[in-house]
């Protein structure tokens, strides 16, 4: 079954740790996205990719980085986590034509102590 | 730039009540419009969409009509159920080829039995 997966679902870590949030999709989509979701629900695009070896910064500045070495995989890395990084992170993918929906993963809830 | 203004929440209704969640947008050209729903602990999923003026999107008893003259895409349902309790997001794709969605701030809906 075609789907989009995120791991871990929940992560609690200490300040200064390096973390990688995983996102994989089995739909063969070229476009992939990372969103940060406030406790107040608002979504902010922090990174996106149009395909392999393509990454762009989103509308909200983020200290995280992403890579796109394989079509199906779009991991997000924080080199040194801080409490201000505590948030819900949502990954999405789309076929890439205008008007097509984005498919979302279940999210990773990150807490940095 | 593009923007989406969504009805402030939270919204609390009794089961079988009529639901309207207002959404208006600002965009140049002819955007595609979407409603996404986020159930507790999950990512977003597409509820319905419309890609041109006067189109009506519908799914699971929900409807929304793309009104270019009023730049609106209000979500309606005739008789809500407890299972409709979720957060609802209005979004647009400008159709200028960058396939980035602009989201509203979300409306939390709670249905009480």
């Amino acid at each position: 079954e075609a789907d989009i997966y995120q791991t871990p679902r929940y992560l609690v870590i200490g300040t200064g740790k390096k973390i990688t949030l995983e996102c994989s999709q089995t739909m063969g989509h070229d476009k992939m996205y990372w969103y940060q979701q406030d406790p107040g629900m608002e979504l902010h695009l922090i990174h996106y990719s149009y395909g392999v070896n393509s990454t762009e910064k989103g509308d909200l500045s983020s200290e995280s980085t992403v890579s796109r070495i394989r079509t199906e995989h779009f991991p997000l890395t924080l080199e040194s986590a801080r409490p201000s990084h505590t948030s819900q992170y949502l990954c999405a993918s789309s076929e890439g034509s205008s008007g097509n929906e984005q498919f979302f993963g279940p999210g990773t809830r990150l807490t940095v102590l | 730039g593009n923007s989406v203004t969504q009805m402030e929440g939270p919204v609390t209704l009794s089961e079988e009540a009529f639901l309207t969640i207002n959404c208006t947008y600002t965009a140049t050209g002819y955007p595609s419009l979407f409603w996404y729903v986020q159930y507790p602990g999950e990512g977003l999923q597409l509820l319905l969409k419309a890609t041109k003026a006067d189109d009506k999107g519908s799914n699971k008893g929900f409807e929304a009509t793309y009104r270019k003259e009023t730049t609106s895409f209000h979500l309606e349902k005739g008789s809500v159920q407890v299972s409709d309790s979720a957060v609802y997001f209005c979004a647009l794709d400008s159709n200028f080829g960058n396939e980035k969605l602009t989201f509203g701030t979300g409306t939390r809906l709670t249905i009480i039995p």
Side-chain angles (χ1 to χ4, degrees):
Chain A
E1 179 181 321
D3 212 337
I4 180 163
Y5 306 92
Q6 288 187 245
T7 56
R9 291 294 311 275
Y10 303 92
L11 180 62
V12 181
I13 59 165
T15 297
K17 300 292 187 184
K18 177 180 179 179
I19 62 164
T20 297
L21 307 184
E22 301 288 349
C23 175
S24 295
Q25 49 97 4
T26 59
M27 296 172 280
H29 289 165
D30 285 328
K31 308 291 195 299
M32 295 190 75
Y33 312 81
W34 276 104
Y35 294 88
Q36 186 172 334
Q37 186 171 28
D38 293 341
M41 305 178 302
E42 193 162 354
L43 290 158
H44 302 284
L45 180 68
I46 52 174
H47 298 283
Y48 59 102
S49 167
Y50 289 146
V52 171
N53 294 325
S54 152
T55 61
E56 303 285 345
K57 295 281 190 184
D59 303 322
L60 179 70
S61 176
S62 174
E63 294 166 348
S64 59
T65 60
V66 292
S67 62
R68 190 87 184 276
I69 298 171
R70 304 197 316 264
T71 297
E72 62 272 23
H73 196 212
F74 191 40
L76 180 146
T77 298
L78 275 167
E79 290 292 334
S80 179
R82 294 206 298 271
S84 60
H85 296 138
T86 294
S87 191
Q88 166 97 321
Y89 292 85
L90 293 170
C91 180
S93 71
S94 73
E95 286 186 0
S97 299
S98 295
N100 281 341
E101 69 177 284
Q102 290 185 12
F103 293 83
F104 283 79
T108 294
R109 183 164 296 283
L110 172 66
T111 302
V112 184
L113 303 175
Chain B
N2 300 328
S3 68
V4 174
T5 301
Q6 208 176 315
M7 177 175 172
E8 297 259 343
V11 174
T12 302
L13 295 172
S14 298
E15 204 166 22
E16 299 183 3
F18 184 87
L19 168 72
T20 300
I21 301 178
N22 289 337
C23 172
T24 57
Y25 68 88
T26 301
T28 53
Y30 302 92
S32 295
L33 301 173
F34 305 83
W35 276 101
Y36 282 83
V37 59
Q38 185 176 30
Y39 297 104
E42 298 182 12
L44 278 69
Q45 55 185 271
L46 181 70
L47 181 60
L48 53 84
K49 72 176 187 180
T51 57
K52 61 183 188 297
D54 300 325
D55 268 2
K56 178 187 283 188
S58 61
N59 186 25
K60 300 181 181 179
F62 291 89
E63 294 183 338
T65 300
Y66 186 163
R67 302 282 189 204
K68 188 159 179 66
E69 63 276 13
T70 54
T71 61
S72 65
F73 193 54
H74 304 320
L75 183 68
E76 296 182 336
K77 186 175 185 182
S79 177
V80 293
Q81 306 301 312
V82 172
S83 57
D84 294 326
S85 297
V87 180
Y88 292 81
F89 292 90
C90 186
L92 72 81
D93 176 352
S94 66
N95 288 335
F96 281 157
N98 60 16
E99 289 90 48
K100 290 196 293 179
L101 292 178
T102 300
F103 283 93
T105 52
T107 301
R108 185 179 300 279
L109 173 67
T110 302
I111 308 300
I112 53 177

